Amino acid sequence: MFGYRVPAPDEAMLISGGRRGLGGAPFRVVTGHGKFVIPFFRKTRFLTLSMCESEVTETCVTRQGIALHVRAVIAFKVGNDHESIINAGQRFLSDQDQMSVLTGRIFAGHLRAIIGSMTVEEIVTERQKLAAEVLDTSKTEMAKIGLIVDSLQIQSIDDGDAGYIDAMSAPHKAAIQRQAQIAQAQATQASVEAEQEAARKQAEYARQTAIVKAQYSAEVDRAQAQAAQAGPLAQAHAQQEVLAAQTELAQRQAKLRQQQLVAEIVKPAEAEAERVRVLAAAEAQRMKIQAEAAASYDRVALDRMLIDQLPQIVKEAAGGLAGANVNVLNGADGLGEIAAGLVSQGLTILDSVRQNLNGQDATDGRRSEESAGSGLLQLRSGKERKSDDGPVDVD
């Protein structure tokens, strides 16, 4: 639209003519929006608000009297507030490149003043402190001309041919070189150790590979040997099983034959021996009974003979009294007592004879039993002598 002007985002539009700006400024400041400007009656100019750069290279003398060549870079711009825009517009609107020149000169003066109060060691080791002090001392002057500094960087410090900085850094260089050598030696040692470790691992891998190959080869050989022996082993196992079966059959046959021999020889022999024993016992019992019977017969015959001889014995005893001088008391009763005494003596004599006879009979009985036992032994020995010729019948 004709007469309507809009500033760029990094510009401030200054409109002069007509009524003056705020605060008695010779122009009005417009930023961020457009403005209708009456042609021929108003004049419009633009002031940059973008970042600007100024480089300073200055030779400064330290507190120790050592000359240092310092190179610094300043980043600055026009402030965003109306006051800063007005101040910068009044000073640089016609020649905005003068902002970099003037800023460089301002910072060069402050840089010489700050470095003159410091030692080389402080300047080298505390560059940030140097930059901060330069910014603080120049802030007021920069605000008066409507500029603000965003940053100040000390890019280089050089003492030329003096060699002070090199001498100051020599111990550190030596320490750094020593550390570098140590680090290099450690790196070399680590490299050698790594190579040795790699060689050991390769050797170990080769050894394990050889072992595995040998194991595989041994397993293959063993499998082949087992396969080759499988036929003979199977045949040997079969023969062993046949032999075991034959052995078991032979054992069963021997056991059966043993049972047959027991049934055919031992059992009949035991039965024959039992029969002979029973017959011998019966024969002994018969002989004992016969002996007892004979002894009893003899005793009865003897009793009869004693009884038959008893009157004669009494008679003889009475005859012995015939010539004796006997006084008989009590008459007939006394005579009867004498006769009874004689009879009693005869009976006592008879009992004594019987006891003697019984003792003799017992002795004869034992002799008979011994004779029967001797006969039984003779019978058994006779059977044993004839057992080889065949069975012996005993009636």
Side-chain angles (χ1 to χ4, degrees):
M1 183 181 293
F2 181 76
Y4 191 80
R5 307 295 298 273
V6 178
D10 60 347
E11 290 181 338
M13 185 172 62
L14 306 180
I15 304 173
S16 60
R19 292 184 302 171
R20 295 187 176 183
L22 296 176
F27 46 78
R28 299 184 62 184
V29 179
V30 177
T31 58
H33 58 86
K35 189 73 174 177
F36 183 77
V37 180
I38 301 174
F40 306 112
F41 295 98
R42 302 288 187 271
K43 187 175 182 180
T44 303
R45 293 188 180 184
F46 295 92
L47 179 65
T48 181
L49 301 179
S50 62
M51 182 67 64
C52 298
E53 180 181 306
S54 177
E55 183 175 341
V56 177
T57 302
E58 192 70 21
T59 300
C60 307
V61 180
T62 65
R63 188 176 64 186
Q64 300 163 319
I66 299 173
L68 298 177
H69 302 284
V70 181
R71 181 173 176 271
V73 176
I74 305 99
F76 66 96
K77 65 181 291 295
V78 178
N80 294 326
D81 60 290
H82 284 198
E83 183 178 359
S84 297
I85 293 173
I86 292 172
N87 291 334
Q90 290 178 342
R91 291 170 176 80
F92 306 109
L93 186 58
S94 60
D95 188 4
Q96 298 185 26
D97 292 337
Q98 288 295 320
M99 288 189 295
S100 298
V101 176
L102 183 58
T103 300
R105 291 175 180 176
I106 292 173
F107 273 87
H110 289 289
L111 190 61
R112 285 194 302 269
I114 298 299
I115 288 177
S117 63
M118 298 176 65
T119 63
V120 178
E121 288 79 6
E122 292 175 347
I123 294 170
V124 172
T125 58
E126 299 179 1
R127 291 190 181 187
Q128 191 63 34
K129 178 182 177 181
L130 173 62
E133 291 184 0
V134 172
L135 286 175
D136 290 340
T137 56
S138 61
K139 185 181 298 182
T140 304
E141 294 182 9
M142 295 293 290
K144 289 180 179 180
I145 59 177
L147 302 177
I148 58 175
V149 179
D150 288 338
S151 67
L152 170 63
Q153 297 293 329
I154 307 298
Q155 292 186 338
S156 64
I157 300 173
D158 185 15
D159 60 352
D161 297 333
Y164 188 89
I165 296 178
D166 292 337
M168 183 179 64
S169 61
H172 302 285
K173 287 182 179 180
I176 292 173
Q177 290 178 356
R178 183 171 59 254
Q179 292 177 358
Q181 292 174 356
I182 293 172
Q184 182 64 34
Q186 291 176 350
T188 303
Q189 182 179 0
S191 176
V192 173
E193 290 178 354
E195 292 178 357
Q196 293 177 352
E197 183 66 21
R200 282 195 297 270
K201 289 182 179 180
Q202 290 179 357
E204 180 66 19
Y205 178 76
R207 186 182 68 83
Q208 292 179 356
T209 303
I211 292 173
V212 171
K213 287 182 179 179
Q215 290 176 352
Y216 287 162
S217 179
E219 290 180 359
V220 171
D221 294 341
R222 185 165 53 253
Q224 291 178 352
Q226 291 177 355
Q229 295 176 358
L233 286 175
Q235 185 176 1
H237 285 305
Q239 292 178 356
Q240 184 177 3
E241 292 178 357
V242 171
L243 291 175
Q246 292 177 352
T247 302
E248 184 178 0
L249 179 60
Q251 291 176 354
R252 290 183 179 179
Q253 290 178 352
K255 186 176 182 180
L256 179 61
R257 181 58 182 164
Q258 182 180 5
Q259 293 176 356
Q260 290 177 354
L261 291 175
V262 170
E264 293 176 357
I265 298 175
V266 176
K267 293 297 183 180
E270 291 179 353
E272 181 65 20
E274 183 65 21
R275 187 178 72 82
V276 170
R277 187 184 64 79
V278 172
L279 290 176
E283 181 65 19
Q285 186 68 22
R286 184 179 66 82
M287 293 175 67
K288 180 180 179 180
I289 293 172
Q290 289 177 356
E292 290 178 355
S296 176
Y297 177 77
D298 292 339
R299 199 165 45 247
V300 171
L302 181 60
D303 290 341
R304 286 180 181 180
M305 183 183 68
L306 290 175
I307 292 170
D308 292 338
Q309 294 296 327
L310 182 60
Q312 185 64 28
I313 293 171
V314 173
K315 182 180 179 181
E316 292 294 334
L321 296 174
N325 186 12
V326 178
N327 293 321
V328 179
L329 299 178
N330 296 329
D333 293 333
L335 184 58
E337 291 177 0
I338 292 172
L342 292 174
V343 173
S344 177
Q345 289 179 359
L347 292 175
T348 301
I349 294 171
L350 179 60
D351 290 336
S352 177
V353 172
R354 284 181 176 177
Q355 289 177 0
N356 293 329
L357 290 176
N358 287 334
Q360 185 177 1
D361 291 339
T363 303
D364 295 337
R366 284 195 299 272
R367 292 177 179 176
S368 299
E369 291 178 357
E370 291 176 358
S371 298
S374 300
L376 178 60
L377 291 175
Q378 292 176 0
L379 180 61
R380 288 182 180 179
S381 62
K383 175 185 175 298
E384 289 176 357
R385 285 194 302 270
K386 294 181 180 181
S387 61
D388 296 335
D389 299 333
V392 178
D393 294 332
V394 178
D395 294 336

